[in-house]
C-alpha cells in the first residue's frame, strides 16, 4: 500500500505494453470540455509525418486516440483521413468509433485492441477473401466494440 501512487512501483503490465513507445506518436491539437471547443486545431502536417514514420517502420495497423474525442470526434476522423491518404494499406481505427466514452485509459486501450485484432483477422482472412468474387471487397467492421 505505501507505493500506491509511486511512479517507481513495478506494475506487471508495464513490461508488456499494447503499443511500444517508439510507435506512439504525438500530434498537436486541443479541445476542452464540456462542449469540445477547439483551442488549437489539429496539426495536419504532424499527422501526415507520423503516418509516414509508422509506415516506414512497418506498422500495419494504427489506432488514433485523442483526449477529448468522445465529445466531438472531428479531429480523430480528420486524422484518420490524413493517415489513409499517406498510408492507404494501413488499417486505421479511432478511439471515438470504438468506445465513445470519457475515460481515456479504457477508450485508448479498446482502440489499441481493436487495431490489433481487426488487422490480425484481416491478414488471416486475406487468402480466403481474395479467392471470393472480385466484386466482394474485404471491408472489416468493428470486430471489437464496447456495448454502450
Amino acid at each position: 500500500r505505501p507505493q500506491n501512487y509511486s511512479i517507481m512501483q513495478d506494475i506487471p503490465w508495464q513490461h508488456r505494453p499494447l503499443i511500444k513507445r517508439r510507435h506512439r506518436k504525438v500530434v498537436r491539437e486541443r479541445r476542452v470540455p464540456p462542449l469540445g471547443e477547439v483551442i488549437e486545431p489539429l496539426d495536419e502536417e504532424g499527422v501526415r509525418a507520423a503516418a509516414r514514420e509508422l509506415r516506414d517502420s512497418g506498422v500495419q495497423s494504427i489506432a488514433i486516440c485523442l483526449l477529448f474525442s468522445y465529445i466531438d470526434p472531428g479531429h480523430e476522423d480528420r486524422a484518420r483521413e490524413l493517415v489513409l491518404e499517406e498510408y492507404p494499406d494501413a488499417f486505421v481505427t479511432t478511439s471515438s468509433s470504438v468506445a465513445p466514452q470519457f475515460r481515456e485509459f479504457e477508450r485508448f486501450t479498446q482502440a489499441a485492441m481493436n487495431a490489433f485484432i481487426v488487422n490480425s483477422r484481416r491478414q488471416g482472412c486475406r487468402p480466403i477473401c481474395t479467392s471470393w468474387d472480385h466484386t466482394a471487397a474485404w471491408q472489416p467492421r468493428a470486430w471489437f466494440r464496447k456495448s454502450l
Side-chain angles (χ1 to χ4, degrees):
R1 199 101 168 124
Q3 288 191 3
N4 245 7
Y5 301 102
S6 170
I7 61 170
M8 301 307 290
Q9 69 176 327
D10 187 33
I11 300 173
W13 59 82
Q14 286 179 334
H15 304 292
R16 296 180 307 275
L18 291 174
I19 301 171
K20 293 179 182 177
R21 187 174 300 269
R22 69 177 171 265
H23 294 143
R24 298 178 209 164
K25 305 299 177 191
V26 177
V27 294
R28 297 185 60 86
E29 71 92 35
R30 185 155 182 205
R31 288 187 184 275
V32 293
L35 302 175
E37 296 95 12
V38 176
I39 301 295
E40 184 172 345
L42 179 66
D43 176 10
E44 294 191 0
E45 186 49 44
V47 173
R48 290 179 189 280
R52 288 189 295 267
E53 287 177 35
L54 292 170
R55 179 194 61 211
D56 294 345
S57 66
V59 171
Q60 298 174 348
S61 186
I62 298 171
I64 297 174
C65 307
L66 301 176
L67 200 55
F68 294 111
S69 62
Y70 67 92
I71 296 172
D72 183 353
H75 283 173
E76 277 192 354
D77 294 341
R78 179 63 183 147
R80 182 179 188 281
E81 292 170 6
L82 294 169
V83 168
L84 288 172
E85 286 175 14
E86 291 294 324
Y87 189 9
D89 294 335
F91 173 77
V92 183
T93 189
T94 62
S95 68
S96 58
S97 67
V98 175
Q101 59 186 357
F102 76 98
R103 298 281 189 218
E104 64 267 3
F105 176 79
E106 291 85 353
R107 186 162 40 92
F108 290 10
T109 300
Q110 289 179 43
M113 291 298 294
N114 188 55
F116 174 77
I117 291 169
V118 173
N119 190 57
S120 298
R121 299 290 301 199
R122 184 173 75 159
Q123 295 302 322
C125 183
R126 190 150 299 190
I128 297 168
C129 296
T130 55
S131 67
W132 289 344
D133 183 314
H134 292 291
T135 60
W138 169 243
Q139 293 291 324
R141 298 294 179 221
W143 290 76
F144 179 82
R145 181 170 283 230
K146 174 149 176 66
S147 301
L148 299 177

